Amino acid sequence: MFDLDQTIKDRHSTRKFLSQPVPRALLDEALALAQLAPSNSNIQPWRLVFAQGDRRDRLQEALLNQAKQQPNVSPLPSAFQYYRQELGAQVYGAMGITRDDKANRQLAVLRNYEFFGAPMVAIVCMHQDLGVADALSVGMYLQTLVLSLTARGIGTCVEVSLATYPEIIRNELNISPELLIICGLAVGYPDPDFPANHLHISRESVEKNVSFQGD
Ligand SMILES: Cc1cc2nc3c(=O)[nH]c(=O)nc-3n(C[C@H](O)[C@H](O)[C@H](O)COP(=O)(O)O)c2cc1C
């Protein structure tokens, strides 16, 4: 039905959404496809809680309050900081925000906690006793979900920024203490008039990440 190569190329992080709701039937189709993702011992460790309407709005308010009082940045080893700076240059550049414009950069960061205007956000969790291989399974699920949504014209942004305030999310959405909150996923229709939604964030060459050994 869809061209996989093209869908992979079409997927980009959306950082401004329209308020238009996502039809539940389309979301259900994508969720059914994502459910086919592989997982370690087929334990299907992904757990998603979707918030929309008043739940979404309450979550946004609680997260924004906290993020304004106590700004948090998800940690990154110094060897990888370069990539974050490069990404910032590309995304903020497309938004017309210069490197020195701290006030507008801070406002742009807070947009994470508004889910970039998406009408719906999913909180992605897994059981706290599971490990790295299981987080990998959740990642494979998430990519399958995101591609299935992309193929249906629906935009997404994976948001690890939300996981810097796990207790706020846990309280607002009554998420069990057994579940580790990994990240959020903003879901909605991309605003076509927002230049940063059309970015092609650069990648390293394949050779930087992959090597072949032997004959
Ligand atoms: C695990 C993960 C966490 C991410 N967290 C955030 C986030 O908190 N905020 C954000 O704006 N983008 C976030 N992103 C999006 C990445 O910045 C983005 O995927 C990357 O820069 C490549 O750009 P592209 O998705 O447009 O191809 C995240 C992506 C992943 C996979």
Side-chain angles (χ1 to χ4, degrees):
M1 184 176 175
F2 297 108
D3 178 344
L4 178 60
D5 288 16
Q6 193 55 49
T7 304
I8 291 169
K9 289 176 187 163
D10 286 347
R11 187 216 57 79
H12 293 107
S13 294
T14 297
R15 293 193 177 84
K16 190 170 184 192
F17 292 86
L18 303 173
S19 56
Q20 184 187 344
V22 173
R24 181 60 189 268
L26 287 186
L27 180 61
D28 284 347
E29 281 177 16
L31 287 169
L33 285 168
Q35 200 68 13
L36 302 177
S39 58
N40 181 21
S41 297
N42 196 30
I43 66 169
Q44 304 152 67
W46 46 86
R47 299 287 182 272
L48 270 69
V49 178
F50 278 90
Q52 55 190 359
D54 61 335
R55 277 299 167 105
R56 176 223 172 276
D57 295 347
R58 267 180 29 198
L59 181 62
Q60 168 176 310
E61 196 185 337
L63 284 169
L64 266 182
N65 278 341
Q66 187 65 19
K68 283 177 189 165
Q69 281 172 38
Q70 186 200 329
N72 269 351
V73 179
S74 53
L76 202 57
S78 58
F80 295 90
Q81 288 292 346
Y82 161 80
Y83 292 101
R84 183 174 270 172
Q85 280 161 15
E86 276 296 296
L87 173 66
Q90 291 177 66
V91 173
Y92 295 134
M95 294 169 72
I97 303 174
T98 60
R99 201 182 160 77
D100 313 325
D101 188 352
K102 289 224 164 71
N104 276 318
R105 280 199 170 216
Q106 264 164 14
L107 285 177
V109 168
L110 288 177
R111 294 278 295 149
N112 275 273
Y113 304 102
E114 297 170 347
F115 324 121
F116 304 106
M120 149 183 280
V121 62
I123 304 301
V124 180
C125 313
M126 74 172 189
H127 196 283
Q128 61 177 358
D129 294 344
L130 295 173
V132 174
D134 308 297
L136 179 63
S137 304
V138 176
M140 297 188 81
Y141 169 87
L142 205 52
Q143 174 74 334
T144 311
L145 178 60
V146 161
L147 290 178
S148 302
L149 289 168
T150 304
R152 286 161 179 74
I154 298 163
T156 55
C157 190
V158 179
E159 293 193 64
V160 79
S161 47
L162 302 190
T164 57
Y165 305 107
E167 290 319 315
I168 302 266
I169 296 174
R170 203 177 291 289
N171 290 340
E172 288 297 326
L173 301 181
N174 298 317
I175 292 176
S176 156
E178 286 188 342
L179 292 180
L180 183 70
I181 293 174
I182 301 177
C183 64
L185 181 71
V187 179
Y189 287 100
D191 181 341
D193 298 328
F194 186 60
N197 280 348
H198 300 287
L199 282 173
H200 291 263
I201 301 296
S202 54
R203 297 294 197 270
E204 297 284 6
S205 64
V206 171
E207 294 72 37
K208 167 95 198 249
N209 296 63
V210 181
S211 65
F212 291 87
Q213 299 189 4
D215 300 331

